[in-house]
């Protein structure tokens, strides 16, 4: 399917879109961690892959040697004159610009702000399970998980939930389209920015009580932000908020469908859910970020060249036995869990509190509606490729509550 | 015991105030702060340690030998 040949040597020629990585990256990371903890590939014009928690943390904290000017690996490099904002601030911004741009967004994603979105989220989840009930087989990715973050972000932006399919198309082009032909991906990205531009222009004429209007009004260093950059921020929130949370919800349901003991335990002990969620986030952290090497450097014996990419596979960091006891086991009552699912350093996921709320509510509503579920066909589960990993097709056999009594 | 959140390290992951809301609270950016000067009643010491052990940035600092006089002066 992709432009790239199958990988035969993960240490010297890896590709994060390879079918083997997409299906199950964990053995690849585990072996590299033991044998070649910072792998390299000439693909994408040069990219590195650290697999140890300490190396990943060191790079994530080092904004001097590693720039966030581009965080999605592709054949392309964002031009230097996109700095300091980068293409999608603040995730693509470096200090000192980064802090101000981030502070604009944080109040909208604080725990206090997120708590106000919980009733809407719960109703959205309930409506989705209501539509699924009565079927013997349902797709928890296509029919449930993917809709939840789309509806919540649409609600925050003041957009109709019916734009959801269009959003998901944009996300797919940006995140999962890295091995598409550049001209196809480019056309999709142009369409995405046209949608965003129309949205911004509409809110400039008709401000409302929504996040777009807020970002057009809020000041950074005493001045309103250029609508061009607000467009880019909204683009980021849509891209970063949808695929990621969808993946976390889907992967969690996949785990509970695959390990009946854990599912039964959560039904019996609902108080365990917040602890279990952290372990599911550790074990199936969806997001791998990336940095560009700012200038030629040596990093732990690796000669990294300017504009090489460095992947930051937070899910690999979370499976490092040097950082976690029994790192390769999913232990849903794990109490000590310093996981890095939401990143490390200054780019901690702005939406982490929102994502945790969505994940918790999504699981609560799902478990209440479908206390008994299992994989309908393990071979039919399909995982996304690229830097956000989660199930995209997840057919489950379900027994609805009403059938049980 | 006292607790303290190092604001140079804190990135607002929010594990401390989720695990020990009696001891930590968020500001409006989501960063964690110790409540009441960071004094930890004896019955919450385990929660304080749990919060520290779960901070991804190791920003939650436990001061085990906090001044006895301070603890005595502020019974909880």
């Amino acid at each position: 399917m992709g432009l790239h040949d199958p990988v035969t040597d993960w240490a010297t020629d890896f590709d994060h879109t390879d079918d083997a990585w997409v299906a199950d990256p964990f053995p690849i990371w585990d072996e590299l961690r033991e044998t070649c903890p910072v792998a390299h590939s000439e693909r994408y014009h040069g990219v590195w892959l650290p697999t140890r928690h300490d190396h990943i943390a060191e790079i994530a904290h080092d904004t001097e040697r590693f720039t966030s000017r581009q965080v999605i690996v592709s054949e392309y490099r964002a031009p230097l004159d996109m700095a300091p904002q980068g293409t999608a601030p603040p995730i693509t911004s470096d200090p000192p610009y980064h802090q101000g741009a981030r502070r604009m967004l944080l109040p909208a994603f604080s725990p206090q702000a997120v708590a106000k979105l919980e009733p809407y989220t719960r109703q959205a989840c309930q409506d989705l399970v209501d539509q699924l009930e009565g079927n013997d087989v349902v797709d928890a990715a296509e029919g449930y998980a993917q809709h939840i973050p789309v509806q919540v972000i649409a609600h925050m932006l003041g957009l109709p939930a019916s734009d959801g399919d269009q959003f998901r198309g944009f996300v797919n082009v940006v995140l999962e389209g890295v091995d598409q032909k550049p001209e196809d991906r480019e056309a999709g990205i142009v369409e995405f920015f046209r949608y965003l531009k129309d949205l911004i222009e509409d809110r400039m004429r008709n401000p409302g009580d929504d996040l777009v209007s807020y970002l057009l009004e809020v000041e950074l260093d005493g001045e309103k932000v250029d609508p061009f950059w607000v467009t880019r921020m909204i683009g980021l929130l849509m891209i970063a908020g949808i695929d990621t949370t969808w993946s976390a919800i889907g992967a969690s349901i996949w785990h509970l469908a695959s390990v009946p003991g854990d599912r039964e335990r959560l039904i019996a002990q609902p108080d365990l859910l917040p602890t279990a969620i952290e372990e599911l986030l550790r074990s199936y952290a969806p997001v791998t970020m990336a940095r560009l090497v700012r200038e030629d450097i040596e990093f732990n014996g690796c000669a990294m060249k300017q504009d090489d990419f460095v992947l930051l596979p937070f899910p690999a960091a979370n499976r490092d036995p040097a950082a976690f006891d029994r790192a390769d086991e999913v232990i849903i009552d794990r109490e000590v869990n310093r996981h890095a699912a939401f990143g490390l350093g200054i780019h901690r996921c702005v939406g982490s509190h929102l994502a945790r709320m969505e994940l918790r509510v999504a699981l609560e509503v799902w478990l209440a509606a479908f206390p008994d579920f299992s994989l309908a066909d393990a071979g039919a589960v399909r995982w996304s490729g690229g830097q956000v990993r989660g199930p995209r097709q997840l057919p489950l056999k379900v027994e609805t509550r009403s059938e049980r009594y | 015991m006292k607790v303290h959140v190092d604001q140079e390290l804190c990135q607002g992951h929010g594990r401390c105030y989720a695990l020990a809301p009696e001891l930590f609270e968020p500001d409006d950016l989501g960063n964690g702060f110790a409540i009441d000067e960071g004094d930890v009643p004896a019955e919450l010491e385990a929660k304080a340690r749990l919060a520290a052990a779960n901070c991804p940035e190791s920003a939650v600092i436990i001061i085990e030998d906090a001044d006895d006089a301070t603890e005595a002066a502020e019974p909880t």
Side-chain angles (χ1 to χ4, degrees), chain A residues 61 103 107 110-112 278 335-339 343-346 348 353 356, chain B residues 11-15 17 26-30 50 52-58:
Chain A
H61 285 113
R103 280 176 178 242
S110 69
Q112 301 90 326
E278 297 306 317
E335 285 218 316
V336 174
N337 201 343
R338 212 190 284 278
H339 69 76
L344 293 168
I346 63 169
R348 186 269 301 170
H353 304 292
R356 279 192 168 99
Chain B
Q11 297 293 350
H13 284 265
R15 302 300 297 129
Y17 49 79
D27 68 0
D28 67 356
L29 301 177
L50 191 65
N54 279 278
C55 176
E57 298 288 357
S58 301

Side-chain angles (χ1 to χ4, degrees), chain A residues 29-261:
Chain A
W29 296 330
D30 289 346
E31 189 179 338
L32 288 173
R33 206 184 288 112
E34 293 291 317
T35 58
C36 177
V38 185
H40 179 252
S41 176
E42 291 294 339
R43 300 180 192 224
Y44 306 99
H45 306 300
V47 52
W48 298 86
L49 175 71
T51 51
R52 281 171 41 168
H53 185 284
D54 58 348
H55 288 164
I56 292 166
E58 183 183 348
I59 295 165
H61 285 113
D62 186 345
T63 58
E64 290 294 320
R65 295 192 297 168
F66 302 95
T67 167
S68 287
R69 195 174 92 241
Q70 190 176 335
V71 294
I72 303 292
V73 169
S74 73
E75 305 282 341
Y76 167 85
R77 298 293 187 276
L80 274 170
D81 62 8
M82 289 300 285
Q85 294 92 344
T87 50
I91 202 170
T92 56
S93 315
D94 290 322
Y97 177 85
H98 163 268
Q99 187 183 32
R102 183 176 168 88
R103 280 176 178 242
M104 287 172 56
L105 290 175
L106 282 171
F109 293 90
S110 69
Q112 301 90 326
V114 164
K116 293 180 189 151
L117 295 165
E118 182 166 335
Y120 176 86
T121 306
R122 191 172 297 279
Q123 188 60 51
C125 292
Q126 190 61 51
D127 291 346
L128 289 166
V129 296
D130 287 349
Q131 287 171 24
L132 296 174
E133 275 182 335
N135 295 300
D136 298 330
V137 176
V138 301
D139 193 310
E142 287 186 346
Y144 188 63
Q146 73 167 333
H147 299 286
I148 297 163
V150 171
Q151 292 187 14
V152 172
I153 198 79
H155 178 69
M156 291 179 81
L157 298 176
L159 292 167
S162 55
D163 281 10
D165 286 340
Q166 208 173 354
F167 285 18
R168 282 193 298 277
F170 297 145
V171 173
N172 195 50
V173 164
V174 175
L175 288 178
E176 296 182 29
V178 292
D179 62 350
Q180 290 175 359
K181 287 182 192 159
E183 55 270 30
D184 291 350
R185 187 159 183 255
E186 188 67 24
I189 289 173
V190 166
E191 192 193 344
F192 179 37
F193 279 109
R194 189 177 303 129
Y195 178 92
L196 291 174
K197 191 162 167 285
D198 290 348
L199 168 63
I200 300 289
E201 285 172 358
D202 174 69
R203 293 309 147 82
M204 289 173 75
R205 288 190 302 269
N206 310 298
D209 180 23
D210 60 79
L211 188 52
V212 181
S213 306
Y214 162 78
L215 290 174
L216 287 167
E217 280 301 312
V218 72
E219 293 186 350
L220 175 57
D221 297 330
E223 288 181 26
K224 286 186 189 174
V225 177
D226 187 320
F228 174 82
W229 293 114
V230 175
T231 308
R232 295 289 179 140
M233 281 189 189
I234 297 296
L236 166 64
L237 297 179
M238 289 171 61
I239 296 301
I242 293 175
D243 232 28
T244 51
T245 313
W246 163 16
S247 296
I249 296 168
S252 298
I253 294 176
W254 172 80
H255 174 85
L256 297 175
S258 310
V259 183

Side-chain angles (χ1 to χ4, degrees), chain A residues 11-34:
Chain A
T12 61
D13 185 37
F14 72 84
D15 189 330
H16 62 301
T17 65
D18 186 87
D19 288 347
W21 173 303
V22 172
D24 187 8
F26 299 108
I28 297 169
W29 296 330
D30 289 346
E31 189 179 338
L32 288 173
R33 206 184 288 112
E34 293 291 317

